[in-house]
C-alpha cells in the first residue's frame, strides 16, 4: 500500500483541527482555537460545540487545499471518537461520517490519547523526525490526563501509571487561576517561571504507591499557602509571582519525573517519550532531556506543533488502522471517557 492519504479530524475539546497525512508525512495541519473560553477561566462545553460547528467546514477545506488535494483523492478519514467533551466530539464524528458517506471512503475511529503518543511517528515534508523504538515508555501529560504508558506496539499500549485525582495540567490551570494569571494557566506559569527562583518556596509532594500520580494535595497545599501569606501581606502574589510560578512548576515536574524514572527502572526501558499539552512546558522538556543524558535514555520530545490537540496525530493513527484494515461503521457514537474504550 503506497501513497495512502488520510484526512484526520480532531474536535475533542476546544480546538477544531483537520490534517492530511500521506504515508506518514504531514501535508497539512490546520487548527482553529477558541478564545471565547478565556473570560470564563476554562472550557465551556456548550460554547465549544457551537464553535466546532462554525469551524469544521472551513478548517477541513483549508487542510485539503494546503495539502493540494480534493476530498475525492482521500483513501480514508480518521476521526477522534474520544475521550473528550461529548458535544464537541459529536461535531467531528458527524462530519466525518457525512464526508465518508458522500465519497464512499472508509473511516477509522481514534482514541485521542493514542493519537498523542503516536504523534512521535509523524514525519515532515522537509525532514524525517526521530521515532521511538518499541517498547518505549511515554509520559502522557495534559489538562485531563497524567499517565505513564508502556507502548509495546503501535496500537498495543498499557497504562502502568495514572493520576488518581487531578492531572498535572489541571494543577497548573487551577493554581494559575488563584493567582489571577488567566487561562490557560500552564503557558503563563511556564513563561513567568523562567524569571523566578524554583527553590524559593517548597510545596507538599504526594506519597502515592506504585507509578500512579496525585496532584490534588499539591493544589490544596498551594491554596492554603497563599491564603496564609496573603493574610500577612495582601500584595504577596504580585511581589512573588515569578518565584511562585518557578517553585510550583519545579514541584510538578519533580513529581512527574520521579515516577517516570521509577518506571524506566521497573521495566528496564531506556526509550522514553513525552506527549500531550504539558509536554510543551519548557521545564519538563529540559528535565526529560537532562535526565536522559544522565541515565542513558533515548529521549523523544515532540515538536511544539504536536503537543497540543491536533488532527495530525489523529491522521497518523488512522493511517496505521487503515493499513491493518481496522475500519469503523456509520453507527459508531462518540465516547466521553477513556474508561469506556
Amino acid at each position: 500500500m503506497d501513497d495512502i492519504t488520510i484526512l484526520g479530524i480532531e474536535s475533542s475539546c476546544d480546538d477544531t483541527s483537520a490534517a492530511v497525512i500521506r504515508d506518514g508525512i504531514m501535508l497539512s495541519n490546520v487548527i482553529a482555537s477558541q478564545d471565547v473560553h478565556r473570560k470564563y477561566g476554562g472550557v465551556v462545553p456548550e460554547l465549544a460545540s457551537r464553535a466546532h460547528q462554525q469551524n469544521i467546514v472551513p478548517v477541513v477545506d483549508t487542510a485539503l487545499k494546503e495539502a493540494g488535494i480534493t476530498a475525492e483523492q482521500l483513501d480514508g478519514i480518521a476521526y477522534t471518537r474520544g475521550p473528550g467533551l461529548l458535544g464537541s466530539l459529536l461535531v467531528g464524528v458527524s462530519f466525518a461520517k457525512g464526508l465518508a458517506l458522500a465519497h464512499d471512503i472508509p473511516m477509522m475511529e481514534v482514541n485521542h490519547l493514542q493519537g498523542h503518543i503516536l504523534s512521535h511517528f509523524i514525519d515532515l515534508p522537509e525532514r524525517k523526525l526521530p521515532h521511538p523504538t518499541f517498547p518505549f515508555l511515554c509520559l502522557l501529560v495534559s489538562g485531563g490526563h497524567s499517565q505513564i504508558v508502556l507502548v509495546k506496539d503501535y496500537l498495543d499500549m498499557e497504562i502502568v501509571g495514572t493520576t488518581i485525582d487531578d492531572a498535572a495540567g489541571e494543577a497548573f490551570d487551577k493554581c494559575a487561576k488563584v493567582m489571577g494569571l488567566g487561562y490557560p494557566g500552564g503557558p503563563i506559569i511556564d513563561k513567568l517561571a523562567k524569571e523566578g527562583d524554583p527553590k524559593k518556596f517548597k510545596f507538599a509532594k504526594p506519597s502515592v504507591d506504585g507509578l500512579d500520580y496525585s496532584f490534588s494535595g499539591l493544589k490544596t497545599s498551594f491554596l492554603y499557602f497563599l491564603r496564609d501569606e496573603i493574610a500577612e501581606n495582601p500584595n504577596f502574589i504580585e511581589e512573588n509571582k515569578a518565584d511562585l510560578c518557578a517553585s510550583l512548576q519545579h514541584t510538578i515536574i519533580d513529581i512527574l519525573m520521579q515516577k517516570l524514572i521509577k518506571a524506566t527502572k521497573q521495566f528496564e526501558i531506556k526509550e522514553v517519550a513525552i506527549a500531550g499539552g504539558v509536554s510543551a512546558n519548557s521545564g519538563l522538556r529540559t528535565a526529560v532531556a537532562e535526565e536522559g543524558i544522565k541515565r542513558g535514555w533515548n529521549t523523544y520530545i515532540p515538536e511544539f506543533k504536536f503537543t497540543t490537540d491536533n488532527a495530525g496525530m489523529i491522521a497518523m493513527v488512522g493511517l496505521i488502522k487503515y493499513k491493518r484494515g481496522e475500519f469503523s461503521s456509520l453507527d459508531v457514537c462518540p465516547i466521553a471517557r477513556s474508561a469506556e474504550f
Side-chain angles (χ1 to χ4, degrees):
M1 293 184 179
D2 296 323
D3 297 330
I4 299 172
T5 305
I6 304 295
L7 169 69
I9 295 175
E10 155 63 19
S11 67
S12 64
C13 191
D14 61 335
D15 288 329
T16 312
S17 182
V20 177
I21 278 186
R22 178 175 293 150
D23 295 333
I25 299 175
M26 178 177 287
L27 303 183
S28 65
N29 192 22
V30 179
I31 301 174
S33 299
Q34 302 174 3
D35 289 333
V36 66
H37 305 286
R38 291 184 184 274
K39 63 180 179 180
Y40 298 103
V43 177
V44 181
E46 179 61 28
L47 295 179
S49 58
R50 290 181 183 179
H52 283 304
Q53 289 178 311
Q54 296 174 343
N55 293 336
I56 188 73
V57 172
V59 164
V60 170
D61 183 60
T62 301
L64 292 173
K65 288 180 178 177
E66 287 188 3
I69 65 169
T70 62
E72 289 76 14
Q73 293 174 283
L74 292 171
D75 293 296
I77 300 173
Y79 63 91
T80 301
R81 187 183 180 190
L85 300 176
L86 202 55
S88 295
L89 290 166
L90 188 60
V91 175
V93 172
S94 299
F95 186 88
K97 288 180 180 180
L99 191 61
L101 191 61
H103 296 281
D104 192 27
I105 51 180
M107 300 185 301
M108 293 73 66
E109 63 180 76
V110 176
N111 181 322
H112 176 84
L113 302 180
Q114 286 186 331
H116 274 301
I117 294 171
L118 296 185
S119 66
H120 283 284
F121 293 91
I122 300 172
D123 285 318
L124 301 176
E126 65 273 17
R127 70 186 191 280
K128 184 178 177 63
L129 300 175
H131 301 168
T133 300
F134 300 113
F136 67 92
L137 287 168
C138 184
L139 175 61
L140 177 58
V141 275
S142 66
H145 300 88
S146 291
Q147 301 175 338
I148 298 177
V149 182
L150 174 59
V151 187
K152 305 171 187 177
D153 197 2
Y154 290 109
L155 301 178
D156 185 3
M157 304 181 188
E158 178 186 356
I159 298 172
V160 296
T162 189
T163 180
I164 61 175
D165 42 56
D166 289 349
E170 288 177 293
F172 275 122
D173 287 339
K174 291 177 181 178
C175 291
K177 186 174 183 179
V178 172
M179 289 189 285
L181 299 182
Y183 175 86
I188 301 172
I189 288 177
D190 188 20
K191 181 179 179 180
L192 289 171
K194 296 173 183 176
E195 305 169 8
D197 179 2
K199 298 182 180 180
K200 179 69 176 292
F201 304 109
K202 292 188 180 298
F203 303 115
K205 295 180 182 178
S207 177
V208 181
D209 293 336
L211 299 175
D212 287 338
Y213 287 111
S214 171
F215 291 97
S216 180
L218 168 62
K219 179 193 68 178
T220 302
S221 70
F222 184 77
L223 299 183
Y224 281 127
F225 171 79
L226 289 183
R227 182 198 64 181
D228 294 341
E229 293 295 334
I230 292 172
E232 296 289 333
N233 176 12
N235 297 319
F236 177 77
I237 292 178
E238 189 61 34
E239 293 173 0
N240 296 275
K241 191 177 295 182
D243 290 336
L244 283 168
C245 289
S247 299
L248 176 66
Q249 177 163 291
H250 176 77
T251 304
I252 292 176
I253 292 172
D254 193 39
I255 293 170
L256 291 171
M257 292 303 299
Q258 283 181 3
K259 291 299 178 82
L260 180 60
I261 292 169
K262 185 176 181 179
T264 62
K265 293 178 179 178
Q266 180 175 323
F267 293 99
E268 298 182 340
I269 289 177
K270 292 186 178 294
E271 294 280 306
V272 178
I274 57 174
V278 181
S279 68
N281 181 278
S282 63
L284 179 59
R285 296 167 78 92
T286 299
V288 171
E290 291 179 349
E291 205 65 48
I293 295 173
K294 176 182 175 182
R295 299 180 181 275
W297 297 347
N298 294 319
T299 56
Y300 302 88
I301 300 172
E303 302 220 344
F304 285 106
K305 69 180 73 176
F306 298 144
T307 58
T308 57
D309 293 346
N310 68 92
M313 66 187 193
I314 304 303
M316 186 68 235
V317 180
L319 175 64
I320 294 168
K321 288 198 167 188
Y322 183 94
K323 291 181 177 180
R324 297 186 178 191
E326 298 181 16
F327 305 123
S328 66
S329 62
L330 289 170
D331 61 356
V332 168
C333 297
I335 294 176
R337 294 178 294 183
S338 57
E340 297 176 37
F341 270 96

